[in-house]
Amino acid sequence: MIGYSLMGLMMAKNTLTFTWAFELVTKKHKSCASTCLLVLDFSVSIIAGLFFLSISREWKLLMYPFFAAGALGYIIVTLMVPESPQWLLLQGRKAEAIESLNYIAKVNRSNNRISQDVNFV
């Protein structure tokens, strides 16, 4: 049961990663970001296959480092990436949504900023 719970947590990592990446990346670079994420995700399968083919059939030797890397990545992304502005607006947290949008604009090197008195439709 614990294994299935951990596996579900790691699958949520994929969904969150794509969602956050598409909110942070400009429209021009979304296809490149999507391709990079898919290649990185698939590379885990390639590494696992090569490991089982060449090194060992013992799955625990491979599971623990992958789990640790996934958990570390999840923690880093959670700490560095802001909340979704859309979700914040739906929760009625307008000031935080504007702050999040301005942070995303800063990461994208845009000079556009949203003032606190703006009204969203």
Side-chain angles (χ1 to χ4, degrees):
M1 188 67 165
I2 294 172
Y4 284 118
S5 299
L6 294 174
M7 191 168 60
L9 180 65
M10 290 301 112
M11 293 307 293
K13 165 197 62 97
N14 288 347
T15 305
L16 293 174
T17 303
F18 276 92
T19 302
W20 284 333
F22 287 145
E23 286 190 6
L24 289 171
V25 176
T26 60
K27 194 174 196 176
K28 179 180 172 184
H29 296 101
K30 283 188 182 186
S31 62
C32 181
S34 174
T35 302
C36 289
L37 287 172
L38 289 171
V39 166
L40 288 172
D41 195 35
F42 183 69
S43 67
V44 172
S45 301
I46 293 172
I47 293 169
L50 292 173
F51 178 84
F52 288 129
L53 181 67
S54 305
I55 299 173
S56 173
R57 300 269 183 207
E58 183 63 37
W59 63 271
K60 289 180 184 177
L61 293 174
L62 190 62
M63 185 202 69
Y64 293 135
F66 277 167
F67 177 76
L72 181 65
Y74 185 80
I75 291 168
I76 290 171
V77 167
T78 302
L79 294 175
M80 293 182 66
V81 177
E83 288 283 353
S84 165
Q86 181 180 8
W87 183 82
L88 290 169
L89 283 172
L90 290 173
Q91 300 302 314
R93 296 161 57 181
K94 180 181 163 188
E96 291 176 64
I98 292 170
E99 183 179 315
S100 181
L101 284 168
N102 286 334
Y103 174 77
I104 292 170
K106 180 181 169 186
V107 168
N108 287 328
R109 296 186 192 129
S110 172
N111 293 327
N112 299 331
R113 298 295 186 268
I114 299 173
S115 64
Q116 291 293 330
D117 60 343
V118 71
N119 288 320
F120 294 99
V121 178

